[in-house]
Amino acid sequence: MESPFGSLLYKMLEKRYGPIFKTNLIGKDLIVSLDPDVNHYVLQQEEKAFHIWFPDSFMKLLGEENIARCYGSLHKNTRNLIRRVFGPENLRLVLLHDMQGAVDRCLSSWRDSPSIELKPALSSMIFGIAAKWMIGYEASVLSGDLWKNFDAFNQGLLSFPLNFPGTAFYKCMQGRNNVMKTLKEVLDERRKKAETPERMDFIDVIVSELNKQNPALSENLALNVLFLLIFASFETTSSGLTAALKFLSDNPKALKELEEEHQKILERRADPHAEITWEEYKSMKFTSHVINESLRLANVAPVLFRKATQDVQIKGYTIPEGWIVMICPPAVHLNPTTYEEPSSFNPWRWKDLSEPIGGSKDFIAFGSGLRLCVGLDFARLQMSVFLHFLVTKYRLKVVSGGDMVFGPGLGFPNGFQVQLELKNKLSL
Ligand code: HEM
């Protein structure tokens, strides 16, 4: 299985227009950069010569005050609040345990089904886990409406921004408004409670911040951040995992090595039914290579935008103040100078490459610089835990589908239908 993007496309674009060129692709003058050095430079210049930018229609969907409009200490403080729940410390102490139960239950609920539509099933599983740690959401407490409204939001996300009844954009806005109403109700309810719980979800973190004399952020910003976090958590990770499972199902050798890594973890334990420890998670080297390779090829975030805040000279080009630069991660990830046979799924290549933990010039699946994805540790842990339970307990059988397209986000036009077969009935 090759990348849905094909390195050829980027080669053709580069040959025809050069590594940096001007276009009007989204109805606005912008500079497209296929050059890894320029991309790296621009991302490192956040809050200096550039700042993050999104098209107006997308900004509208993120809300008037949102994290993309936060700079300096407000941005830093907002990220710190998010990291109190989704940073490595809480992942190690609390979420690792929680995720395992949720993943195990979810996989066993798929067992008797003749066909599982993988991407939405993964989205729903991750939504359940993430929403619990954002707003204490339990499916039984709030009805499935929250999920339905997020889904409506997602469906119209890349639609033409015509906001009147019947259009996809209108439904998307309605979905967002309904979710925001629920989030506000949950926040108001929580603010009435006097005591601070021992284990805080993101709403508790917000409440304790808003109760301070000089809160780091406003209620409106907090609610918009919450909205983005819930959405970003399930949509991106489920796409990445679906792509990983497709690549693995097409590469039996890689799947076998992954199974062996996880089998060894079980064998080293005194009790094979014990939970994954943080040390075991950190020892999953091949799993980490599979995740890097899948995200390199899948390009879940296919474009990143930045706006120049001053004239910038780079590599003989001038980027004028006010212009938008469109960074294309696929051009970086499919660059044959860095990655041999760039379109092939080859997790072993990562044995010789350094781990791109905080983003690097050649790996920007999670961005880089000040705007590096704040959920990357959560996403990597979620993917690893899922792969562990999957390969130690089940065989994944492809029923149908699995094609991937780029349009402009990663899509699965005919879905990806799979079936689970228990490996060893005694292991349950
Ligand atoms: C495979 C999964 C994921 C991928 C590929 C991904 C990708 C990205 C990328 C590329 C950016 C940078 C955007 C830019 O620079 O313009 C970003 C930022 C962000 N991501 Fe993720 N993400 C993932 C998972 C998550 C999760 C699980 C969460 C939440 C728990 C999350 C929350 C965010 C937030 C809030 C930002 C904005 C950070 C800021 O502006 O400082 N992401 N993500």
Side-chain angles (χ1 to χ4, degrees), residues 335-360:
N335 180 353
T337 329
T338 324
Y339 300 104
E340 211 182 314
E341 291 189 40
S343 298
S344 312
F345 178 77
N346 173 10
W348 295 276
R349 72 171 87 239
W350 292 94
K351 283 187 173 161
D352 305 321
L353 297 170
S354 55
E355 274 293 317
I357 299 299
S360 70

Side-chain angles (χ1 to χ4, degrees), residues 12-137:
M12 274 163 54
L13 281 174
E14 192 173 348
K15 204 163 166 202
R16 177 142 190 210
Y17 302 109
I20 297 188
F21 57 91
K22 201 180 121 183
T23 175
N24 192 285
L25 197 67
I26 52 168
K28 195 170 177 72
D29 278 344
L30 51 85
I31 292 170
V32 177
S33 167
L34 307 176
D35 184 305
D37 294 321
V38 173
N39 291 342
H40 184 66
Y41 176 78
V42 171
L43 291 176
Q44 300 315 308
Q45 284 291 311
E46 178 71 21
E47 294 196 12
K48 291 178 209 150
F50 291 90
H51 66 65
I52 193 165
W53 180 89
F54 288 110
D56 290 346
S57 55
F58 191 74
M59 256 328 183
K60 208 168 166 188
L61 293 171
L62 295 184
E64 202 43 49
E65 286 179 85
N66 68 62
I67 193 165
R69 288 207 166 108
C70 296
Y71 307 108
S73 59
L74 179 57
H75 179 235
K76 205 169 151 205
N77 291 336
T78 306
R79 284 180 68 100
N80 284 342
L81 291 181
I82 299 172
R83 285 175 70 79
R84 280 174 61 184
V85 176
F86 295 100
E89 186 68 0
N90 206 43
L91 289 179
R92 180 171 68 84
L93 295 174
V94 184
L95 265 82
L96 173 60
H97 162 77
D98 231 60
M99 256 180 207
Q100 301 189 48
V103 168
D104 200 15
R105 279 193 300 280
C106 171
L107 281 170
S108 92
S109 77
W110 293 357
R111 236 168 60 197
D112 297 322
S113 174
S115 176
I116 297 286
E117 186 60 78
L118 196 58
K119 165 79 173 38
L122 285 169
S123 292
S124 152
M125 176 190 78
I126 299 167
F127 175 79
I129 297 171
K132 180 174 168 197
W133 285 99
M134 306 229 192
I135 56 170
Y137 169 88

Side-chain angles (χ1 to χ4, degrees), residues 367-404:
S368 176
L370 286 184
R371 295 277 170 180
L372 178 73
C373 175
V374 70
L376 85 91
D377 295 307
F378 176 83
R380 295 189 79 99
L381 181 67
Q382 175 69 79
M383 292 174 85
S384 306
V385 168
F386 184 86
L387 290 173
H388 175 83
F389 278 88
L390 180 74
V391 302
T392 51
K393 289 192 166 182
Y394 303 96
R395 247 180 298 276
L396 187 83
K397 287 173 67 183
V398 174
V399 176
S400 52
D403 295 342
M404 291 190 251

Side-chain angles (χ1 to χ4, degrees), residues 56 91 102 144 155 165 186 189 193 198-199 229 297 314 344:
D56 290 346
L91 289 179
Q155 299 299 326
V186 176
E189 207 45 49
K193 292 193 179 152
E198 203 183 312
R199 282 185 178 172
L229 277 180
L297 289 174
I314 178 161
S344 312

Side-chain angles (χ1 to χ4, degrees), residues 170-202:
Y170 179 82
K171 287 182 197 150
C172 173
M173 284 303 280
Q174 291 294 104
R176 179 191 142 79
N177 294 343
N178 292 337
V179 172
M180 290 304 287
K181 203 166 146 253
T182 306
L183 297 182
K184 169 86 173 107
E185 282 163 14
V186 176
L187 180 69
D188 288 346
E189 207 45 49
R190 203 69 71 82
R191 286 186 95 167
K192 286 186 204 145
K193 292 193 179 152
E195 79 281 10
T196 312
E198 203 183 312
R199 282 185 178 172
M200 293 167 94
D201 60 26
F202 192 62

